[in-house]
Amino acid sequence: MLTKRIIPCLDIKDGRTVKGTNFVDLRDAGDPVELGALYAKQGADELVFLDITATVEKRKTLVELVRRIAMHVNIPFTVGGGISSVADVNALLENGADKISVNTAAFKNPQLITALANEFGSQCVVLAIDTKKEEDGEWYVYLNGGRTKTDTKAMTWAAQSVELGAGEILLTSMNHDGTKQGFALDITKAMVENLPVPVIASGGGGTMAHFKDVFEKTNVDAALAASIFHFNEICIPDLKAYLEINNILVRK
Amino acid sequence: MNTVIIKYNAGNIQSVLFALERIGVQAEVTDEKERILRADKVIFPGVGEASSAMKYLKERKLDEVIKGLKQPVLGICLGMQLLCKHSEENDTDCLGIVPVKVKKFPAGKDCKVPQIGWNNIYGLKSPLFKEVPSNSYIYNVHGYYAEKSDHTIATCNYGVEYAAAIVKDNFYGVQFHTEKSSVVGEQILKNFIEL
């Protein structure tokens, strides 16, 4: 049976991890390759590398980094951040990335999703949505790393993107991100039930019980987190053992 | 030992090369008939769509080259499906080396198509799975599957039971991505190299 997936996310700037870690056994805690390989060894099911490098000239660094990751990491990984063309994606996939994620560029130019799906297949096109629940109780799409509000509802955009060819949704709740108070169960459940593609829940995972809750209550396919893994507040083998005891199917 | 990866229009070759490097194997990527024929081991990878892959192989007469191979051949993912007789993906006649049909997964509430993620394999019966425990987890990305048959050497379940690996004579095929399946995948690649 297909297992639920646990996905650590690494933010990358100029080829280095941004937030730092407190893994004492890493020679270079800022090296995304070393950290990624450690997570793979610990039992992470996939990795997401999110590039927040601002400048175009530095983006060449990302392709080189992807190549090094593919060389040393023996599990699948997704690369996102600033991707806006078929050529960008081709370079990343050719160097060993398994999937790419698009966000703002896809919202501004939805045909990008179709172009990527036609060229490389839907299975490698992840649509990332940053969403926030407003006072009217609705979840809206935010762009540019959460800085720009739109009037589009997250569910509407997600459904449209799947029609266009997105093969997976990476859903980040801005209300929950960084709070360690648990994942956004309502919007996650709505997406899982209404979309024919896998959904990754992101934002708010602070305890092992939060992961159990999101899998049990929403049947989401995967859960993503960053700092709780980087700072070793939750280690992946413990998390998987906990989920298994709670009858959630995970890979061991 | 000379290992060749067949170069064609169906992706993920770099990942297979890196996985082989991790187990200490330097492979050559080529579409030249002579080099493929000379190899001790041939890997036929693939991520993509069946009919366009078959069209590409036929245009370069690689289909006849592959069918005539006598050394161990390992088809991975689409490469495995192309070893079969026919695929429902755009109603494609494949290489017909292994007499098995490739069908589309029925979409269900709990089984989204394509299958993406880690699933367990069992009923392992081939030297390809030496030191691989039953119910090991392997990484999958596919919307089509090979039917179970006498040629099945590993089984997986995703709404239906299907062939996760097949064999006929010197031709082996695995549906999952050995190159992305952690240490289990590396063991299977190592086993293939040591056949």
Side-chain angles (χ1 to χ4, degrees):
Chain A
M1 293 289 285
L2 199 68
T3 63
K4 299 298 185 188
R5 289 172 277 153
I6 301 295
I7 308 178
C9 177
L10 289 76
D11 284 350
I12 308 294
K13 192 176 183 195
D14 302 339
R16 308 276 296 167
T17 54
V18 175
K19 287 174 182 162
T21 67
N22 69 350
F23 284 110
V24 289
D25 47 347
L26 287 182
R27 280 180 295 119
D28 177 0
D31 180 10
V33 178
E34 201 174 347
L35 185 56
L38 175 71
Y39 285 137
K41 202 173 161 191
Q42 286 187 337
D45 297 303
E46 259 177 68
L47 300 171
V48 169
F49 294 88
L50 197 58
D51 186 45
I52 57 168
T53 304
T55 59
V56 175
E57 61 268 29
K58 288 270 176 69
R59 293 193 57 81
K60 193 162 177 288
T61 321
L62 179 65
V63 173
E64 286 158 15
L65 175 66
V66 163
R67 195 175 172 81
R68 282 209 300 132
I69 294 166
M71 202 181 292
H72 295 285
V73 171
N74 61 11
I75 58 170
F77 65 96
T78 301
V79 179
I83 293 169
S84 59
S85 72
V86 168
D88 287 346
V89 171
N90 193 47
L92 297 169
L93 296 180
E94 269 196 347
N95 282 283
D98 297 279
K99 308 184 221 179
I100 55 82
S101 78
V102 286
N103 190 332
T104 303
F107 187 87
K108 290 184 174 163
N109 171 24
Q111 288 313 311
L112 175 65
I113 298 173
T114 308
L116 295 176
N118 287 343
E119 186 73 23
F120 309 107
S122 288
Q123 82 288 339
C124 71
V125 182
V126 180
L127 180 79
I129 302 177
D130 295 324
T131 184
K132 191 170 171 185
K133 192 177 194 174
E134 301 288 352
E135 282 174 4
D136 63 1
E138 300 282 354
W139 291 88
Y140 290 92
V141 175
Y142 276 69
L143 304 177
N144 300 314
R147 290 189 297 273
T148 312
K149 184 184 180 297
T150 73
D151 294 329
T152 304
K153 287 172 189 164
M155 193 65 225
T156 307
W157 172 224
Q160 192 196 341
S161 76
V162 172
E163 290 283 312
L164 291 168
E168 195 164 29
I169 302 292
L170 167 52
L171 180 72
T172 302
S173 162
M174 293 165 57
N175 305 69
H176 297 72
D177 201 20
T179 65
K180 297 186 187 176
Q181 296 296 307
F183 294 91
L185 300 177
D186 58 342
I187 185 68
T188 303
K189 189 169 198 286
M191 293 248 174
V192 170
E193 288 180 352
N194 287 295
L195 299 175
V197 300
V199 177
I200 303 167
S202 158
T207 67
M208 296 201 284
H210 293 152
F211 285 83
K212 169 176 168 281
D213 280 352
V214 78
F215 287 129
E216 264 181 7
K217 293 179 180 164
T218 74
N219 199 25
V220 76
D221 300 273
L224 175 146
S227 58
I228 53 157
F229 295 133
H230 303 333
F231 292 99
N232 223 356
E233 290 164 28
I234 294 177
C235 81
I236 293 166
D238 289 352
L239 175 57
K240 286 202 156 178
Y242 170 85
L243 291 173
E244 192 184 29
I245 289 169
N246 284 283
N247 298 317
I248 292 161
L249 194 62
V250 288
R251 176 178 71 105
K252 293 222 306 174
Chain B
M1 174 68 72
N2 173 6
T3 303
V4 150
I5 300 175
I6 298 178
K7 182 177 159 186
Y8 71 120
N9 64 335
N12 92 323
I13 285 173
Q14 192 59 56
S15 297
V16 176
L17 264 178
F18 283 150
L20 290 169
E21 271 179 35
R22 287 196 294 272
I23 60 166
V25 174
Q26 297 295 327
E28 179 188 7
V29 180
T30 184
D31 56 3
E32 288 174 38
K33 182 181 175 182
E34 290 309 316
R35 286 170 184 246
I36 297 170
L37 290 177
R38 261 207 317 266
D40 299 305
K41 297 279 160 40
V42 176
I43 295 178
F44 181 38
V47 172
E49 188 275 321
S51 67
S52 57
M54 276 308 298
K55 184 165 175 276
Y56 183 98
L57 293 173
K58 281 182 179 167
E59 279 167 6
R60 287 157 183 78
K61 299 196 164 45
L62 282 169
D63 57 332
E64 292 304 323
V65 174
I66 296 168
K67 281 191 230 177
L69 293 173
K70 300 288 177 234
Q71 63 275 60
V73 177
L74 179 65
I76 300 174
C77 196
L78 180 63
M80 178 202 100
Q81 296 184 357
L82 296 181
L83 295 178
C84 297
K85 189 173 170 50
H86 178 269
S87 172
E88 285 184 359
E89 189 172 22
N90 291 319
D91 190 18
T92 304
D93 284 326
C94 302
L95 295 167
I97 295 165
V98 188
V100 169
K101 283 189 210 148
V102 175
K103 298 186 159 184
K104 188 167 177 42
F105 276 126
K109 193 174 177 300
D110 292 318
C111 293
K112 294 176 175 177
V113 179
Q115 171 177 222
I116 300 182
W118 298 82
N119 204 332
N120 56 312
I121 48 173
Y122 49 92
L124 311 180
K125 43 185 180 188
S126 164
L128 200 59
F129 298 106
K130 193 182 79 181
E131 291 177 42
V132 175
S134 186
N135 290 314
S136 289
Y137 283 99
I138 40 77
Y139 184 73
N140 305 278
V141 181
H142 61 124
Y144 296 80
Y145 67 94
E147 283 185 311
K148 280 200 76 175
S149 71
D150 292 345
H151 301 284
T152 303
I153 51 172
T155 302
C156 192
N157 189 327
Y158 189 64
V160 292
E161 275 200 325
Y162 67 91
I166 54 175
V167 71
K168 184 165 187 286
D169 307 323
N170 55 317
F171 290 91
Y172 297 79
V174 290
Q175 177 59 63
F176 47 91
H177 286 279
T178 48
E179 72 281 7
K180 291 286 177 176
S181 291
S182 189
V183 290
V184 172
E186 287 166 358
Q187 180 67 45
I188 293 166
L189 281 175
K190 193 162 168 274
N191 291 341
F192 173 70
I193 296 297
E194 289 171 0
L195 279 176

